[in-house]
């Protein structure tokens, strides 16, 4: 049986979805693991953008190569057990590594998707700065 389906959003957007290929899904469609990962990465980015604006910093670019790992949780169930966000930002006013890490920690604290995930998921944020 096909795992392909459509994800319809209130905005009118429709995305082709499926299971991951390892679970008999289509490789050319978005799977639930990717959806969760992209929701977290987008929420973190939007929280970061808000903080940067409030601090009157000028963000020139933002790029993230987010990754997620499947494994077994403490109950032995299949779960996303680790998420790595690696946002690379370019600011008009370069910051120290410590300042940049503080901004990302604040963004993580205010990201409602991150706040909604189980505590068993290790979310690692490794910010980098261009330039």
């Amino acid at each position: 049986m096909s795992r392909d389906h459509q994800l319809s959003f209130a905005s009118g957007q429709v995305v082709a979805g499926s299971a991951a290929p390892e679970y008999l899904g289509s490789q050319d469609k978005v799977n639930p693991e990717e959806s969760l990962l992209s929701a977290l990465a987008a929420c973190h980015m939007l929280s970061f953008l808000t903080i940067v604006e409030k601090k009157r910093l000028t963000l020139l670019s933002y790029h993230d190569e987010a990754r997620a790992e499947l494994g077994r949780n403490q109950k032995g169930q299949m779960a996303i057990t680790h998420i790595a966000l690696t946002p690379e930002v370019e600011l008009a006013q370069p910051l120290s590594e410590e300042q940049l890490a503080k901004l990302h920690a604040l963004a993580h604290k205010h990201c409602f998707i991150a706040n909604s995930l189980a505590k068993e998921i290790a979310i690692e944020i490794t910010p980098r700065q261009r330039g």
Side-chain angles (χ1 to χ4, degrees), residues 88-109:
E88 180 178 271
V89 301
E90 184 178 1
L91 295 158
Q93 315 85 337
L95 302 176
S96 70
E97 286 184 29
E98 183 180 343
Q99 290 170 316
L100 184 61
K102 284 182 181 180
L103 290 179
H104 280 287
L106 193 56
H108 183 66
K109 178 182 174 184

Side-chain angles (χ1 to χ4, degrees), residues 18-106:
S18 190
E22 307 84 75
Y23 299 101
L24 307 176
S26 300
Q27 187 167 357
D28 64 338
K29 295 178 176 53
V30 177
N31 66 56
E33 300 89 333
E34 292 172 317
S35 296
L36 177 66
L37 181 60
S38 65
L40 175 65
C43 184
H44 182 87
M45 179 191 68
L46 294 170
S47 296
F48 184 81
L49 294 177
T50 299
I51 291 163
V52 164
E53 277 183 1
K54 287 183 178 183
K55 299 227 176 249
R56 296 194 170 147
L57 298 170
T58 303
L59 182 67
L60 302 175
S61 68
Y62 186 106
H63 178 78
D64 193 355
E65 294 282 338
R67 294 178 321 283
E69 293 177 18
L70 285 175
R72 300 233 176 243
N73 64 16
Q74 293 175 348
K75 297 176 185 175
Q77 301 164 318
M78 284 299 295
I80 293 175
T81 57
H82 185 263
I83 293 174
L85 302 181
T86 55
E88 180 178 271
V89 301
E90 184 178 1
L91 295 158
Q93 315 85 337
L95 302 176
S96 70
E97 286 184 29
E98 183 180 343
Q99 290 170 316
L100 184 61
K102 284 182 181 180
L103 290 179
H104 280 287
L106 193 56

